[in-house]
Each structure stands twice: as structure tokens, then as C-alpha cells.
Amino acid sequence: MIELTPALTITWLAIPFFIGFSISLLPQFDRLLALSVTLISIAYAGLLFVTRSPQTLELIDHFGVTLIADSLSGFFILTNGLVTLAILLYCWRSDKTAFFYTQLVLLHGSVNAAFLCADFVSLYVALEVISIASFLLVTYSRSARSIWFGLRYLFISNTAMLFYLVGVALVYKATHSFQFEGLSVAPPEAIALIFLGLLVKGGIFVSGLWLPQTHAEADTP
């Protein structure tokens, strides 16, 4: 039976990015490579469900990257895998290029990484990679409207993350750490700024600024 180890988790996180860029070199296998990434994620989620204790990875001590893999993140990873699988099946007989599958796999991998993040810095990096991959998928048709709405999404998203970063700086000032646990002793304005940034970026707050027209202009997948 496969055991959950730090090396396995790091390898699983790296696979979507390695295979994503490999699709550009092997475009004739783009669908199969993207499908393999999705199935690996679903299998990893299943492994998290049978693991008794959560796994914590501190890659840069208390200051930097901290990842937690547990059954809760497994549910989100499984959902991400099933959604990506549905998109692949929907596009299987379409004329999508290798570039589309590259960005889809990179988006899939960065979303998975966000589900494991336990600190504000690594979550910020994961969310920014999500933004770039989403922008490239929104503008896939290369029409003038899709590029305009994609750029507007990117501008609003990056502006929202400035509020997030200010809130993170306040958390670090209060706790000298970027861990999520710092929210329990952080000042109220730090919590407000962080959640404001995340809600705007996720299209939950003031979604009318970009969400309806962006989704309407982007390709269905």
C-alpha cells in the first residue's frame, strides 16, 4: 500500500507543472497527459482519505512555505479533479490546441496547491498562478472582447490582492509569522483586508465589476 510521505506530496504538487510544460513539447499527447494529471490528483485525494493523521510540511521553517495535507484538503482536491475530468471529457473531441491543455493543467495544479497552503505567502503565490492561467484560458479565443475582459479580470484581481498583502503584513507585524494561526491574534483591520482581497478576487464581493461579462465571453470549458 502506498504511504503518504513528504516526497510523495511534493512530487504530486510538481507533476502538473512538469507535465503541463511537457504538453508543449508533446502536443500529440496533450489530452492523455492532461488526463493522467487529473487521475493522479484523484488518486492522491483518495490516499488522503485513508491517511489517519495529517501531514505537515515546513519547507522554509516558520517564516515561509507550510503545507498541510489532510482529509479536508482531500475533499477539495477530489472536487478539483472531478471538475477538471469533466472539462477534459467535454473537450475530448474538440479542436482545442496543446496550449489550452497546458493552461488547464497548470490551473489544476495551482488550485491543488492552494488547498494545501497553511500560510499566507504560499497561498498568495498559488492564487497568482491561478490568475495567470485563468487569464490565458479566458483569452484563449484571442478575440478583442475576450482580451479586454481578461485584462479587466487581471487588473481587478491584482488590485484586490494588494489589500490581501497589506492585511498579511499586519498579521506578520503582530505575530512575526505568516501562518494562518496568526489571524487569532491579528488586529481586526488585518482580517478585514485579507478577506476583502479574497472575496473580490473570488468574485463574491462586487462581482459585477468583472464576473458576469468575463464568464459570458470565455469559452464554455
Side-chain angles (χ1 to χ4, degrees):
M1 181 178 178
I2 300 177
E3 294 184 0
L4 186 63
T5 62
L8 179 63
T9 299
I10 294 174
T11 301
W12 168 75
L13 284 173
I15 282 176
F17 301 96
F18 175 77
I19 294 184
F21 290 112
S22 299
I23 290 176
S24 301
L25 304 176
L26 301 169
Q28 65 272 29
F29 301 113
D30 50 7
R31 293 168 176 80
L32 293 176
L33 290 173
L35 179 62
S36 66
V37 171
T38 305
L39 296 178
I40 290 173
S41 289
I42 293 175
Y44 181 83
L47 185 60
L48 291 178
F49 292 144
V50 299
T51 301
R52 295 182 178 179
S53 58
Q55 182 183 87
T56 302
L57 288 77
E58 292 188 357
L59 304 184
I60 315 181
D61 298 327
H62 71 283
F63 179 82
V65 178
T66 302
L67 306 175
I68 296 179
D70 55 14
S71 58
L72 177 60
S73 56
F75 281 105
F76 292 106
I77 293 168
L78 177 62
T79 303
N80 186 33
L82 294 176
V83 170
T84 307
L85 178 62
I87 295 171
L88 286 173
L89 295 177
Y90 181 88
C91 299
W92 196 263
R93 295 186 180 277
S94 68
D95 57 352
K96 299 296 184 186
T97 63
F99 177 81
F100 172 84
Y101 292 102
T102 295
Q103 300 308 319
L104 180 63
V105 169
L106 294 179
L107 177 61
H108 174 83
S110 54
V111 171
N112 279 341
F115 292 146
L116 296 189
C117 293
D119 67 277
F120 293 108
V121 174
S122 58
L123 179 61
Y124 173 78
V125 173
L127 292 177
E128 288 303 288
V129 176
I130 289 173
S131 294
I132 295 172
S134 298
F135 165 75
L136 293 173
L137 287 172
V138 168
T139 60
Y140 175 77
S141 64
R142 296 298 186 272
S143 67
R145 284 177 58 85
S146 67
I147 293 175
W148 163 245
F149 289 130
L151 288 173
R152 189 172 67 174
Y153 154 72
L154 206 59
F155 173 76
I156 295 174
S157 173
N158 289 338
T159 302
M161 293 311 288
L162 291 178
F163 292 98
Y164 172 88
L165 288 176
V166 173
V168 170
L170 293 175
V171 172
Y172 183 79
K173 180 180 179 181
T175 65
H176 299 289
S177 174
F178 291 111
Q179 305 299 315
F180 288 161
E181 289 83 356
L183 285 176
S184 61
V185 295
E189 54 269 24
I191 300 174
L193 288 168
I194 289 173
F195 277 91
L196 174 63
L198 293 176
L199 290 175
V200 173
K201 185 178 183 67
I204 300 171
F205 183 63
V206 292
S207 60
L209 290 176
W210 66 268
L211 187 62
Q213 290 178 313
T214 304
H215 276 253
E217 189 63 30
D219 287 346
T220 300

